[in-house]
Amino acid sequence: MPFSFIDIEEKKTRVIGYLFAFIIVFYFVTSYLVLLVLENSVFPSFDYYTGRGFRMPPLEHTLIAFGVALIAGLMHWSLSTSHLIERICLTVGASPIDTKDTYHQYLKNIVDEVSVAIGGRRLEAYVIPSAAMNAFAIEDFGGRAVIGVTEGLLSRLNRAQIEAVVGHEAGHIISGDCLSTTVTCALSEIYDESFSKLGGALKRTRGRGSVVLLLLYLVIGAMRLMSNIIRYFISRQREYRADAVGVRLTRDPLSLAEALELISRTWRGQGAMGERMQSIFIINPAASQLDETEGLFSDMFSTHPPIKHRISILADMAHLDHKTLQENLKNFKRVAPIAKPEFKVEEAAAPASWLVFMGQDWLGPFGPAELLKLDGFKPDVWVRAEGSSVTSHAYEVPALLDLFRPAEVIGRTGAGNCPRCHTPLSEYSYEGVSILKCVYCEGVFVEQDKISRIFVRRDMDFGDDVVRLAKNFMGTKGKDALAEKIEPKNAWVLDCPKCHIQFKDKFKMRRQFFVHSYPVEIDRCSRCDGVWLDKYELEILQYLYEHKEQFFDGSNF
Amino acid sequence: MVVLVVLAVLAIALALWFFTTYNSLIGLKIRVDNAWSQIDVQLKRRYDLIPNLVESVKGYMQHEKDTLERVIKARSQAIDASGIKDKAQAENFLTQTLKSLFAVVERYPDIKANQNVLKLQEELTSTENKISFARQYYNDEVGRFNTSIQVVPANIVANACGFTRKEFFEIEDKAQKEAPKVQF
């Protein structure tokens, strides 16, 4: 342990104290400069040519200016440090995990493990819905700590590597530099927003107002530049230290080295995640040349140390060199946290009697007629043919699915109804994401925020029929379809399963192409933006998305 | 007079040193106890998960009754064990039997395709990792405590107040020493 806990607390408060003092002094200096300019322009005794007649402001004016500065400084401080975590999460687009999502649950387990390793302090797990690979840690004054990773990282690293990354982030938290980094980011970010808003307003305003705006724009711009200095409080050494503490926690330097290597090769989220927030990430989202160099200048002005150096230190701990590490990663394959569906079609005669798993036990055997009389026999119960060891859902067995058809109940349950068959939808896990599926027509309803998660993850295998259909779609036939417009009479037909419960016919789903490069027609709800996809359409879209290089370089078509 | 003052100052300084050392030792001892309760929480979690896993794979594994029975037996042994050394031994045995259960599960594609089993397996893997992390944390704390009661001059205070060395939660299995974590 580099520090005792008391040292850490002391160091924390000291850095925060410096930051606060810096803010106050910064405002004092600024307000004094403004005061100087005002004094010499309101009563212009100052002669530009001779430089004579320069007036120093009287004491009472100075005191007033300092009072104003104090208020402004306090406001800046309190505005940027209130709801610290929520505001930063909003800027980088992170949100708490979805407990129904297998991958997110997997992340939560890992974060909980690391929380045990640091002695039981609670850590919250957040996810950024982005295909980029990166991770961050933030902390507020109340001791609430958040560790976030992107979907891209979650779907491309293996368990040990994610654990190593989370360990690195926990390293920031327990070595005490996380809070100061978080506060620094919040402080330097506050002018960005007003600056860009003013810029927009400036373009629209004409006449006298625009002069005032321009002045304000320049002042805010100057403040923004100045408050950026604050970021150089953050030393790039902290990343080395967090690497070391992370390794002490997980005892796995190799995985951290591999994770850094894999992250550094891909898009880390430049342009997508708050530019001023780069200090909170494990690797700078903006891949800057400055980070990769050493020396006094880059030590002062960059937020992250050279990745190559970090990796070789870690690889060295695992008795490897950087080259060997890269060689080993060539064959890198991760184990997916989900069960892959199999594409075997079994044509067997339907057995006459079945065992049903209900309550906590296998019941039966029952004949088809008896099954229907059972209370709680639904399409999603587990069944097994008598004498067989294969267990499946009732809806996966065609013979049993037929049993349900006459007994269809058209009712409105909590999950909503299939817009085509008007039967209740059941929850279904597709690549770890919980979506709604109709057991009859096999169409699925996917909420807006979930569809991007599905496309980021690449752990599904596709059946031959999906591949064939997808290729058809991208062939000439599909291109013709793109040229045609969707007929208006088909455009507003389906009810959104979610919104229909509450709003009846007020909102319909609109038929459109999912994106304009892929001729797959989907229905999108005009209220919640959820998407209805018919059988195979989700798989086709995902296949197209994952193989887009193949379709767009023209080699296959 | 001067001698008395010097003696009084010395006595006060000695008492102050004694109390601060004693307090810091007590602080360390409480942290060791805390770390132990962390391990305990995770071990209990594992005891709760095992019956569920056994229940859900039982249906598939008619021919592997032995493995399942060994797991159940190891679990009840671990629950009954008392004292850090016995506990550590029983837990290591349980970890090994669980590993052999996972190895058997690998041979059954039916089970691997079952989301429910997969979820339980992930939970158990996570709990195994938590146990090893909690043990690591506990051993770190014990190491620090043991060091601080033996260094001069704190050992005088420790001996006077009856602080004794704490036991490590040790791993005896060699294979486990090389690969301390279950990875999937």
Short mmCIF file of all heavy atoms in Angstrom, two decimals, chain A residues 530-551:
data_model
loop_
_atom_site.label_atom_id
_atom_site.label_comp_id
_atom_site.label_asym_id
_atom_site.label_seq_id
_atom_site.Cartn_x
_atom_site.Cartn_y
_atom_site.Cartn_z
N GLY A 530 -39.27 2.94 -29.89
CA GLY A 530 -39.02 1.50 -29.87
C GLY A 530 -39.24 0.94 -31.27
O GLY A 530 -39.94 1.53 -32.09
N VAL A 531 -38.61 -0.21 -31.56
CA VAL A 531 -38.65 -0.74 -32.91
C VAL A 531 -39.28 -2.13 -32.93
O VAL A 531 -38.96 -2.98 -32.09
CB VAL A 531 -37.21 -0.83 -33.47
CG1 VAL A 531 -37.23 -1.47 -34.84
CG2 VAL A 531 -36.59 0.54 -33.53
N TRP A 532 -40.20 -2.35 -33.87
CA TRP A 532 -40.75 -3.68 -34.06
C TRP A 532 -40.07 -4.32 -35.27
O TRP A 532 -39.99 -3.73 -36.34
CB TRP A 532 -42.26 -3.63 -34.30
CG TRP A 532 -42.79 -5.00 -34.62
CD1 TRP A 532 -43.06 -5.50 -35.85
CD2 TRP A 532 -43.08 -6.04 -33.69
NE1 TRP A 532 -43.48 -6.80 -35.74
CE2 TRP A 532 -43.50 -7.16 -34.41
CE3 TRP A 532 -43.02 -6.13 -32.29
CZ2 TRP A 532 -43.85 -8.36 -33.80
CZ3 TRP A 532 -43.38 -7.33 -31.69
CH2 TRP A 532 -43.79 -8.42 -32.44
N LEU A 533 -39.53 -5.54 -35.06
CA LEU A 533 -38.86 -6.24 -36.15
C LEU A 533 -39.53 -7.58 -36.34
O LEU A 533 -39.75 -8.31 -35.36
CB LEU A 533 -37.39 -6.44 -35.80
CG LEU A 533 -36.59 -5.16 -35.59
CD1 LEU A 533 -35.75 -5.26 -34.35
CD2 LEU A 533 -35.72 -4.88 -36.79
N ASP A 534 -39.87 -7.91 -37.59
CA ASP A 534 -40.48 -9.21 -37.84
C ASP A 534 -39.41 -10.30 -37.74
O ASP A 534 -38.23 -10.01 -37.59
CB ASP A 534 -41.14 -9.21 -39.22
CG ASP A 534 -42.36 -8.30 -39.23
OD1 ASP A 534 -43.01 -8.21 -38.17
OD2 ASP A 534 -42.63 -7.67 -40.26
N LYS A 535 -39.87 -11.53 -37.86
CA LYS A 535 -38.97 -12.68 -37.73
C LYS A 535 -37.73 -12.49 -38.61
O LYS A 535 -37.84 -12.08 -39.76
CB LYS A 535 -39.73 -13.94 -38.16
CG LYS A 535 -38.96 -15.22 -37.92
CD LYS A 535 -39.78 -16.43 -38.33
CE LYS A 535 -38.96 -17.68 -38.09
NZ LYS A 535 -39.67 -18.89 -38.48
N TYR A 536 -36.57 -12.79 -38.08
CA TYR A 536 -35.27 -12.74 -38.77
C TYR A 536 -34.74 -11.32 -39.01
O TYR A 536 -33.58 -11.16 -39.31
CB TYR A 536 -35.29 -13.45 -40.13
CG TYR A 536 -35.35 -14.94 -40.04
CD1 TYR A 536 -36.13 -15.67 -40.92
CD2 TYR A 536 -34.62 -15.63 -39.08
CE1 TYR A 536 -36.19 -17.05 -40.85
CE2 TYR A 536 -34.67 -17.00 -39.00
CZ TYR A 536 -35.46 -17.71 -39.88
OH TYR A 536 -35.51 -19.06 -39.80
N GLU A 537 -35.60 -10.29 -38.91
CA GLU A 537 -35.10 -8.97 -39.29
C GLU A 537 -33.99 -8.47 -38.37
O GLU A 537 -33.03 -7.85 -38.82
CB GLU A 537 -36.25 -7.95 -39.33
CG GLU A 537 -37.07 -8.09 -40.58
CD GLU A 537 -38.23 -7.11 -40.67
OE1 GLU A 537 -38.50 -6.40 -39.69
OE2 GLU A 537 -38.87 -7.07 -41.73
N LEU A 538 -34.12 -8.78 -37.07
CA LEU A 538 -33.08 -8.34 -36.14
C LEU A 538 -31.76 -9.03 -36.45
O LEU A 538 -30.71 -8.40 -36.51
CB LEU A 538 -33.52 -8.66 -34.71
CG LEU A 538 -32.59 -8.19 -33.59
CD1 LEU A 538 -32.36 -6.71 -33.67
CD2 LEU A 538 -33.15 -8.55 -32.23
N GLU A 539 -31.84 -10.35 -36.71
CA GLU A 539 -30.63 -11.10 -37.03
C GLU A 539 -30.01 -10.57 -38.32
O GLU A 539 -28.79 -10.42 -38.42
CB GLU A 539 -30.94 -12.59 -37.20
CG GLU A 539 -31.15 -13.34 -35.90
CD GLU A 539 -32.60 -13.38 -35.47
OE1 GLU A 539 -33.39 -12.52 -35.95
OE2 GLU A 539 -32.97 -14.24 -34.67
N ILE A 540 -30.86 -10.28 -39.30
CA ILE A 540 -30.34 -9.80 -40.58
C ILE A 540 -29.63 -8.47 -40.40
O ILE A 540 -28.49 -8.28 -40.86
CB ILE A 540 -31.49 -9.65 -41.60
CG1 ILE A 540 -32.02 -11.02 -42.00
CG2 ILE A 540 -31.02 -8.89 -42.84
CD1 ILE A 540 -33.29 -10.97 -42.80
N LEU A 541 -30.30 -7.57 -39.68
CA LEU A 541 -29.68 -6.26 -39.45
C LEU A 541 -28.34 -6.42 -38.73
O LEU A 541 -27.35 -5.77 -39.07
CB LEU A 541 -30.59 -5.39 -38.58
CG LEU A 541 -31.60 -4.54 -39.32
CD1 LEU A 541 -32.52 -3.85 -38.36
CD2 LEU A 541 -30.87 -3.51 -40.18
N GLN A 542 -28.34 -7.30 -37.74
CA GLN A 542 -27.10 -7.48 -36.98
C GLN A 542 -26.02 -8.08 -37.87
O GLN A 542 -24.86 -7.69 -37.80
CB GLN A 542 -27.35 -8.38 -35.78
CG GLN A 542 -26.27 -8.20 -34.76
CD GLN A 542 -26.39 -9.16 -33.61
OE1 GLN A 542 -27.29 -9.98 -33.57
NE2 GLN A 542 -25.48 -9.06 -32.68
N TYR A 543 -26.41 -9.01 -38.70
CA TYR A 543 -25.44 -9.62 -39.61
C TYR A 543 -24.86 -8.56 -40.55
O TYR A 543 -23.65 -8.48 -40.75
CB TYR A 543 -26.10 -10.74 -40.41
CG TYR A 543 -25.13 -11.48 -41.29
CD1 TYR A 543 -24.35 -12.51 -40.80
CD2 TYR A 543 -24.95 -11.11 -42.63
CE1 TYR A 543 -23.44 -13.16 -41.58
CE2 TYR A 543 -24.04 -11.75 -43.43
CZ TYR A 543 -23.28 -12.77 -42.90
OH TYR A 543 -22.37 -13.40 -43.68
N LEU A 544 -25.75 -7.74 -41.10
CA LEU A 544 -25.28 -6.69 -42.02
C LEU A 544 -24.34 -5.73 -41.30
O LEU A 544 -23.31 -5.34 -41.81
CB LEU A 544 -26.48 -5.91 -42.59
CG LEU A 544 -27.41 -6.70 -43.50
CD1 LEU A 544 -28.57 -5.83 -43.91
CD2 LEU A 544 -26.66 -7.20 -44.71
N TYR A 545 -24.74 -5.40 -40.07
CA TYR A 545 -23.95 -4.44 -39.30
C TYR A 545 -22.56 -5.00 -39.00
O TYR A 545 -21.56 -4.30 -39.09
CB TYR A 545 -24.69 -4.13 -38.01
CG TYR A 545 -24.19 -2.92 -37.29
CD1 TYR A 545 -24.59 -1.66 -37.69
CD2 TYR A 545 -23.30 -3.04 -36.24
CE1 TYR A 545 -24.13 -0.54 -37.05
CE2 TYR A 545 -22.84 -1.92 -35.58
CZ TYR A 545 -23.26 -0.67 -35.99
OH TYR A 545 -22.79 0.43 -35.35
N GLU A 546 -22.51 -6.28 -38.65
CA GLU A 546 -21.23 -6.87 -38.27
C GLU A 546 -20.35 -7.19 -39.47
O GLU A 546 -19.15 -7.39 -39.33
CB GLU A 546 -21.45 -8.15 -37.45
CG GLU A 546 -21.98 -7.82 -36.08
CD GLU A 546 -22.19 -9.05 -35.22
OE1 GLU A 546 -21.74 -10.14 -35.60
OE2 GLU A 546 -22.86 -8.90 -34.18
N HIS A 547 -20.95 -7.29 -40.65
CA HIS A 547 -20.16 -7.63 -41.83
C HIS A 547 -20.16 -6.49 -42.83
O HIS A 547 -20.13 -6.73 -44.02
CB HIS A 547 -20.67 -8.91 -42.47
CG HIS A 547 -20.55 -10.10 -41.58
ND1 HIS A 547 -21.44 -10.38 -40.59
CD2 HIS A 547 -19.59 -11.06 -41.51
CE1 HIS A 547 -21.07 -11.48 -39.96
NE2 HIS A 547 -19.95 -11.91 -40.48
N LYS A 548 -20.22 -5.26 -42.33
CA LYS A 548 -20.43 -4.17 -43.27
C LYS A 548 -19.25 -3.98 -44.22
O LYS A 548 -19.45 -3.63 -45.36
CB LYS A 548 -20.79 -2.87 -42.57
CG LYS A 548 -19.87 -2.40 -41.48
CD LYS A 548 -20.36 -1.06 -40.99
CE LYS A 548 -19.50 -0.51 -39.90
NZ LYS A 548 -20.01 -0.76 -38.55
N GLU A 549 -18.05 -4.32 -43.75
CA GLU A 549 -16.89 -4.19 -44.66
C GLU A 549 -17.12 -5.03 -45.90
O GLU A 549 -16.87 -4.61 -47.02
CB GLU A 549 -15.60 -4.65 -43.98
CG GLU A 549 -15.29 -4.03 -42.64
CD GLU A 549 -16.03 -4.70 -41.49
OE1 GLU A 549 -16.63 -5.77 -41.72
OE2 GLU A 549 -16.03 -4.13 -40.38
N GLN A 550 -17.64 -6.23 -45.64
CA GLN A 550 -17.85 -7.18 -46.72
C GLN A 550 -18.87 -6.66 -47.74
O GLN A 550 -18.74 -6.90 -48.92
CB GLN A 550 -18.37 -8.47 -46.07
CG GLN A 550 -18.60 -9.61 -46.98
CD GLN A 550 -19.28 -10.73 -46.22
OE1 GLN A 550 -19.17 -10.83 -45.01
NE2 GLN A 550 -20.01 -11.56 -46.93
N PHE A 551 -19.86 -5.90 -47.26
CA PHE A 551 -20.89 -5.46 -48.19
C PHE A 551 -20.55 -4.15 -48.89
O PHE A 551 -21.04 -3.86 -49.94
CB PHE A 551 -22.23 -5.29 -47.45
CG PHE A 551 -22.78 -6.59 -47.00
CD1 PHE A 551 -22.92 -6.87 -45.65
CD2 PHE A 551 -23.14 -7.56 -47.91
CE1 PHE A 551 -23.41 -8.08 -45.23
CE2 PHE A 551 -23.63 -8.78 -47.50
CZ PHE A 551 -23.77 -9.04 -46.15
#
